[in-house]
Each structure stands twice: as structure tokens, then as C-alpha cells.
Amino acid sequence: MKRLLVLALMLLAGGAVFAQQSFLENQKMYPKVGEAFRQKEELLKKEFEKKGLTYPAKYIFIRSFKLDSEMEIWVKNNPQDTFRLFKSYRVCTLSGKMGPKRREGDRQVPEGFYYINDFNPNSNYHLSLGINYPNFSDRILSDPKKPGNEIYIHGNCITVGCIPLTDEFIDEVYILAVNAKNAGQDFIPVHVFPIKFGNSRSVDYLNTIPVTDSISRPFWADLRHAYDYFEKHHKLPVVMIDDKGRYTM
């Protein structure tokens, strides 16, 4: 009887320890994540220190630019702070063309305002971070039956409609996202733009793209309003979605 009581107490204690395990500790148990932290964390700490930033960042913001093949990580540690640019990563390749994703199988990378909704430490593409496509706007403007899904920022440097990085780069981005999630940032924002609107050549190119609908150019203009706001204030704009699926500020 005493042995059964001791065993029961041990099981309860083990359950309490498991319940107290942090998101960070849980993620590190996966081989690829643990290895990423061993290989990259000290390097990230030194980069943060060199740029006068506090590691780990409690809040991160991700911006991706399709034509410019670039993804930025912005960081801060207090809600009232403005974001500071930590690093820009090269996006390996582009799938589809300028314009948002509107149906399953169109090979398009989404454009719009999203957040990280999945951490996949066992991804077939090394490591991956899912974004919440289709969002409310996408559900209104896209194919009502098959808008597509499973859009990720991932490694392996290949894609069909996602945002691909090298394995080395996704290791860093994944670590930063895990640390932010562990610090309490449940919704890590991800803004995906067709172009970097501050790049005049990219703007000129976007203006030459022929469109056959009345939605694309107003849609890009709405995206630019949010881009310009962040460029000016280094704070996230408050973006809403109207009943027609348009982004408003």
C-alpha cells in the first residue's frame, strides 16, 4: 500500500513538472529546434548586443516583400516602445506573381496582414512557422470553397506559395519567434507586401503590371497605407477589415 502511495505521489509530481514546462523548454525537446538553439543562440545574442538590442526580444514583428525577396525582423521589449530593425533575410525564391492568393493551387504567396498560428518543429521543410491564411479578408475575396491554406515561413529554400528561407535563416527566425511566444506574445504579426513601397524601382514595376480587375490596385493602396504608417512611426498600425474584405485604418 505504501509503495502504491509513493508511486502515485511520484506520478503527480511528474505531472506537475510537465504542466510547468514552458513553451521554450517544450520546443527545445525537438531535435531540430534544440540543435538550432545550440548552433545559433550565442550568435544571435552577439548580434543583438552589437546593435544595442536586448536579447531575447519579447516582441517581434515580421515583414516580407515578395518582389524584393526580403524578410525583415523587427524587435522590442516593452509594449510602449517603438520597433527597431534587427535583421533582413533574403527570401530564396518567389512563387506566383504580384497579387494576393485567391484560390487553392494558384501558387500565389498571400498578401495582407497575418499572424503566426503554428510552430512546426517537425516540418518537412526543416522548421516552419504557419501564418493564419486565409484571414477574414481572404475569406471574403477568395474562392469561397477552396481559398487554400497551410501557408508557412519555412526552410529548405523551395516553395509553392509559401515564404522560403535557407535552413540557416529559418533557424534564427524560429528561435526569435519561440522566445517571443515564450515571453507571452501570442500573436506575432506578419505583414506580407507585394513590394517594398519605399523602393522606387519596385513601385515603378508594380505600376506597370497590367490588371484585369477593379480590386488589385485599391488593394495595394490599402496595403501601402499600413506600410507608410509603420515606416513613419515604427509602431504597428491598427488594421481592420470591412464587410467587402478591404483593409482599413
Side-chain angles (χ1 to χ4, degrees), residues 25-183:
E25 292 167 337
N26 178 266
Q27 283 286 311
K28 282 185 173 181
M29 292 177 66
Y30 293 95
K32 284 186 284 188
V33 180
E35 183 63 19
F37 271 88
R38 286 188 291 273
Q39 294 289 331
K40 287 291 185 177
E41 191 164 37
E42 287 304 315
L43 295 174
L44 285 171
K45 288 179 181 178
K46 290 178 181 178
E47 286 191 69
F48 267 69
E49 182 179 3
K50 186 177 180 180
K51 296 181 179 180
L53 300 169
T54 301
Y55 181 90
K58 293 181 180 178
Y59 301 91
I60 69 171
F61 165 48
I62 301 173
R63 290 201 305 182
S64 185
F65 306 97
K66 290 165 62 171
L67 180 66
D68 302 85
S69 298
E70 188 175 344
M71 194 179 80
E72 299 173 342
I73 304 293
W74 295 74
V75 301
K76 66 178 184 177
N77 278 286
N78 296 294
Q80 66 272 21
D81 291 346
T82 54
F83 278 99
R84 294 177 60 187
L85 179 64
F86 165 59
K87 197 169 184 178
S88 296
Y89 294 93
R90 185 73 177 171
V91 176
C92 289
T93 185
L94 174 67
S95 174
K97 56 186 180 181
M98 297 301 100
K101 184 174 182 62
R102 290 294 178 237
R103 66 182 183 278
E104 183 179 314
D106 62 4
R107 303 176 66 89
Q108 286 293 94
V109 178
E111 294 173 10
F113 307 107
Y114 304 95
Y115 60 84
I116 298 296
N117 68 347
D118 184 34
F119 287 74
N120 187 354
N122 291 317
S123 174
N124 291 329
Y125 299 91
H126 189 55
L127 296 169
S128 61
L129 298 166
I131 68 172
N132 67 314
Y133 174 90
N135 64 18
F136 185 65
S137 171
D138 299 318
R139 292 184 185 279
I140 294 173
L141 298 175
S142 300
D143 187 303
K145 293 183 178 179
K146 292 186 176 182
N149 55 21
E150 296 189 357
I151 303 299
Y152 285 83
I153 301 167
H154 61 68
N156 271 21
C157 211
I158 56 174
T159 189
V160 180
C162 292
I163 301 173
L165 304 173
T166 64
D167 291 355
E168 179 182 1
F169 288 167
I170 191 61
D171 280 348
E172 295 187 10
V173 174
Y174 198 93
I175 288 171
L176 296 172
V178 166
N179 279 324
K181 172 79 170 177
N182 192 67

Side-chain angles (χ1 to χ4, degrees), residues 1-15:
M1 187 68 179
K2 289 182 178 180
R3 289 181 179 178
L4 290 175
L5 181 59
V6 170
L7 179 60
L9 289 172
M10 290 175 65
L11 290 172
L12 286 172

